[in-house]
Amino acid sequence: MVRITEDLVRRRAEHNNCEIFSLEEISLHQQEIEKLEYLDKWCRDLKILYLQNNLIPKIERKCSPLTVNLLTPIGHGENNTENVSKLKKLEYLNVALNNIERIENLEGCEELKKLDLTANFIGELSSVESLKHNIHLKELFLTGNPCTEFEGYRQFVVATLHQLQYLDSKEIERSERIKALQDYPEVKQKIREQEQVYLLKRAREKEEAERRMQEKKDKKQKQMESKLGFDSPDSPQERENHQAEGDGEQETCRTVEDDEEDRRFWEEPTPYTPESRLETHRYIEEKRRAKDNTRESKKSEKPPWTLVTAEGKVLNVNVPKLHFSLKDDEENNQFILELAVYRYLDTSLLDVDVQPTYIRVLVKGKPFQFVLPEEVKPDSSSAKRSQTTGHLAVTMPKAKEITLAKQKVSASVKHSDCDTLQKNARRSGKVEKLEVDPSKYSFPDVTKIIQEKERTGQGPIKLQPEKITEVKKSCVDFENDEDVPPLI
């Protein structure tokens, strides 16, 4: 049985900063509530109350003007009248889609203006007379109740509640009210007769529901007794072997039985009554709990993941089902493993373990394990996460390749040192000269000019006057002044 708690009320009072003393509106719909308590003490200023789609069978006086009680008869208990008068500011009450069969105990809600009783099981239409004391009541909804099928239903309600302005979302005209008041005695008599028929029908439905419930209880009891009385092997070893062999068969039989029971339950024709609605809710709740228990038992009984076989062979495992790539970086002699972990996953939920032959990463407790093609050095390995993608990159230097690389580097250094020493020795014994190919250059050979001069016996060649004459030729306006010395 779901009951109102202070924690539930506070969670539903988020719009009021979780303060319930000054709360004026609260929604408690679809909470499977069967009993209301303490609202008159916690929320005295309540004006709007939503209770639709619950399992409320009655509106009783005990504990509050809206308290539901399945055991205590109406009118029993102390200080009931005082509790009714505590929600005097309530203006709108919505109790649609519940199991209410009678309108009662709302006299203390002095400011009640709107009452919604849609899709309940109200068959005693005469119970609307209790709403005469709610002088501010303007709207009433009774659609979907058995009483709406009575002949003269609307006329009776209109004539009974003079303050009402709307019934089932339809405005009450003045002519309609006058006509209903004129025919009120006859209509009231018809309503009384139809109520008696309905009450007899409800009594039979209640007896049928009790009988069906008793049959189901007896059937379950027999099934439990048959299971407890099942002949089992005497020895514990035989009992364990029998249990291990029959686990699969029992699971299959249990699934088939559950499916068959579920099919029978939903295909069995039943009248739409408060008892059948409550039975349906109990059945759905029982199935849900059974599934939750099965799920929890499977989680607790789940065997650990096999990462290493009994022979010591390491297996490749990817339980979190993440994409990954292994890059062989030959230039740096290392392996780079990139694991596509979730972008917003906290790094504290990652555990990296690098071994010489494999790497293991725990992602939220789920192992990812990969066997490496070569041995690596775990001490020199490092793990980083990308700031953009959140992927995990693990760098693992190779053990073999690092050793060979050192030897090659040292050998190459030795050869280079020998070559430099030999070159320095050669340079110290002989002076190097620059060799030039004269055929590749176009400038005149000065050595030949000197040889030809010595051979012919001519005087030195004066290049400067020739340059001057060339300048003179090139300059058109040039005038030779003998007083001016020549330019050198």
Side-chain angles (χ1 to χ4, degrees):
M1 179 185 295
V2 180
R3 306 174 78 166
I4 297 296
T5 61
E6 185 177 353
D7 181 63
L8 176 61
V9 176
R10 289 191 183 278
R11 282 190 284 109
R12 287 290 183 172
E14 295 178 353
H15 59 283
N16 199 41
N17 296 326
C18 297
E19 295 181 2
I20 62 176
F21 183 76
S22 61
L23 192 64
E24 295 184 356
E25 178 181 350
I26 188 170
S27 178
L28 298 173
H29 65 284
Q30 296 182 353
Q31 297 294 318
E32 301 175 359
I33 297 172
E34 298 182 37
K35 187 170 184 177
L36 302 177
E37 293 176 306
Y38 308 119
L39 282 177
D40 57 327
K41 298 180 180 179
W42 298 333
C43 314
R44 293 185 178 182
D45 297 334
L46 206 59
K47 293 182 179 180
I48 301 175
L49 179 59
Y50 295 97
L51 293 168
Q52 64 269 29
N53 202 0
N54 282 292
L55 300 171
I56 302 173
K58 287 183 181 180
I59 300 175
E60 293 198 16
R61 293 182 178 181
K62 189 176 181 182
C63 297
S64 75
L66 304 173
T67 298
V68 178
N69 194 340
L70 301 177
L71 300 177
T72 306
I74 300 174
H76 288 206
E78 298 180 358
N79 298 327
N80 290 335
T81 306
E82 294 180 1
N83 290 327
V84 169
S85 62
K86 289 182 179 179
L87 284 179
K88 294 183 178 182
K89 297 182 180 180
L90 190 65
E91 298 178 2
Y92 175 36
L93 174 62
N94 190 335
V95 285
L97 289 168
N98 280 279
N99 295 345
I100 298 173
E101 298 187 59
R102 181 181 173 84
I103 304 172
E104 56 189 351
N105 302 323
L106 293 175
E107 297 87 349
C109 303
E110 298 176 358
E111 299 294 329
L112 189 63
K113 298 177 181 179
K114 185 177 179 179
L115 178 61
D116 193 346
L117 292 164
T118 304
N120 276 276
F121 297 91
I122 299 174
E124 296 185 45
L125 187 56
S126 58
S127 61
V128 298
E129 295 178 355
S130 63
L131 298 176
K132 288 181 179 180
H133 304 282
N134 304 99
I135 58 175
H136 298 288
L137 185 64
K138 304 300 180 184
E139 297 182 60
L140 178 64
F141 297 87
L142 292 172
T143 306
N145 286 274
C147 63
T148 58
E149 300 177 1
F150 293 172
E151 183 181 356
Y153 146 73
R154 185 175 178 85
Q155 295 176 351
F156 177 80
V157 176
V158 170
T160 303
L161 303 177
H162 300 167
Q163 76 277 24
L164 208 61
Q165 296 180 0
Y166 293 88
L167 177 60
D168 298 333
S169 300
K170 185 178 179 181
E171 186 178 1
I172 302 173
E173 301 290 342
R174 183 179 180 184
S175 58
E176 182 183 3
R177 192 181 303 278
I178 294 172
K179 177 66 174 172
L181 290 172
Q182 291 175 353
D183 300 336
Y184 182 70
E186 298 178 2
V187 173
K188 185 177 181 180
Q189 183 63 29
K190 290 181 181 179
I191 293 297
R192 296 290 185 185
E193 294 175 358
Q194 294 176 79
E195 279 184 356
Q196 295 298 324
V197 175
Y198 175 79
L199 292 176
L200 293 174
K201 178 185 175 183
R202 280 292 298 135
R204 291 193 297 267
E205 288 176 351
K206 289 180 181 179
E207 292 178 359
E208 181 67 19
E210 291 178 0
R211 184 185 61 80
R212 291 176 66 253
M213 290 295 295
Q214 189 63 35
E215 289 180 356
K216 289 185 178 181
K217 287 182 180 179
D218 296 340
K219 185 178 179 180
K220 287 185 179 180
Q221 186 67 23
K222 289 180 181 179
Q223 290 178 355
M224 293 295 295
E225 291 177 355
S226 63
K227 289 181 180 180
L228 293 174
F230 180 76
D231 294 332
S232 59
D234 295 332
S235 63
Q237 185 66 28
E238 292 179 359
R239 189 182 299 109
E240 291 178 2
N241 295 337
H242 179 76
Q243 183 178 0
E245 293 175 359
D247 279 344
E249 296 180 359
Q250 289 179 3
E251 186 69 23
T252 304
C253 294
R254 192 181 301 111
T255 304
V256 173
E257 289 178 359
D258 291 343
D259 294 341
E260 184 66 21
E261 181 184 359
D262 192 66
R263 185 185 63 80
R264 285 198 306 266
F265 179 82
W266 294 111
E267 290 182 357
E268 183 181 2
T270 55
Y272 183 62
T273 60
E275 292 78 18
S276 63
R277 187 169 182 266
L278 190 60
E279 181 183 358
T280 302
H281 168 72
R282 296 278 189 267
Y283 180 81
I284 295 173
E285 184 68 16
E286 184 180 353
K287 288 293 182 181
R288 185 182 63 80
R289 290 178 181 175
K291 287 183 180 180
D292 293 343
N293 294 335
T294 304
R295 192 180 296 111
E296 291 295 331
S297 62
K298 285 183 178 180
K299 286 183 180 179
S300 60
E301 296 175 0
K302 188 176 182 179
W305 293 288
T306 304
L307 303 177
V308 183
T309 61
E311 294 79 11
K313 182 180 179 181
V314 181
L315 303 177
N316 291 329
V317 179
N318 190 1
V319 177
K321 298 180 180 180
L322 300 174
H323 296 286
F324 67 94
S325 63
L326 183 67
K327 179 183 177 182
D328 188 357
D329 189 1
E330 295 182 355
E331 295 181 0
N332 299 319
N333 299 312
Q334 62 186 4
F335 290 115
I336 300 176
L337 175 67
E338 184 175 354
L339 189 62
V341 298
Y342 312 112
R343 182 176 182 179
Y344 300 104
L345 181 68
D346 196 331
T347 308
S348 61
L349 299 176
L350 298 175
D351 185 12
V352 182
D353 182 16
V354 180
Q355 297 295 331
T357 57
Y358 67 92
I359 178 174
R360 181 184 300 165
V361 182
L362 295 179
V363 183
K364 295 177 66 175
K366 298 180 180 180
F368 168 86
Q369 184 169 278
F370 186 78
V371 180
L372 301 173
E374 297 182 21
E375 289 189 7
V376 298
K377 297 189 71 176
D379 297 338
S380 304
S381 301
S382 62
K384 297 180 180 179
R385 290 192 69 183
S386 173
Q387 294 183 354
T388 56
T389 62
H391 292 183
L392 178 68
V394 184
T395 304
M396 299 167 285
K398 300 179 184 178
K400 268 188 180 178
E401 293 297 330
I402 290 175
T403 306
L404 295 175
K406 286 183 178 179
Q407 292 179 357
K408 289 179 181 179
V409 170
S410 61
S412 61
V413 169
K414 289 180 180 178
H415 287 300
S416 62
D417 293 342
C418 293
D419 294 340
T420 52
L421 290 174
Q422 290 177 1
K423 289 180 180 179
N424 292 334
R426 290 174 184 173
R427 288 176 182 175
S428 61
K430 185 179 180 180
V431 178
E432 294 183 355
K433 293 183 179 181
L434 180 63
E435 296 180 359
V436 179
D437 188 3
S439 62
K440 294 182 179 180
Y441 298 92
S442 61
F443 59 87
D445 191 357
V446 181
T447 58
K448 290 182 180 180
I449 294 174
I450 295 172
Q451 290 177 359
E452 289 178 357
K453 179 192 67 174
E454 292 176 354
R455 189 182 302 113
T456 55
Q458 296 178 358
I461 299 173
K462 297 181 179 180
L463 297 176
Q464 190 171 353
E466 293 179 2
K467 289 182 180 179
I468 294 170
T469 56
E470 290 178 359
V471 172
K472 289 180 181 180
K473 290 180 182 179
S474 61
C475 297
V476 179
D477 300 333
F478 176 76
E479 294 182 1
N480 189 11
D481 190 358
E482 295 179 355
D483 297 332
V484 177
L487 297 175
I488 299 172

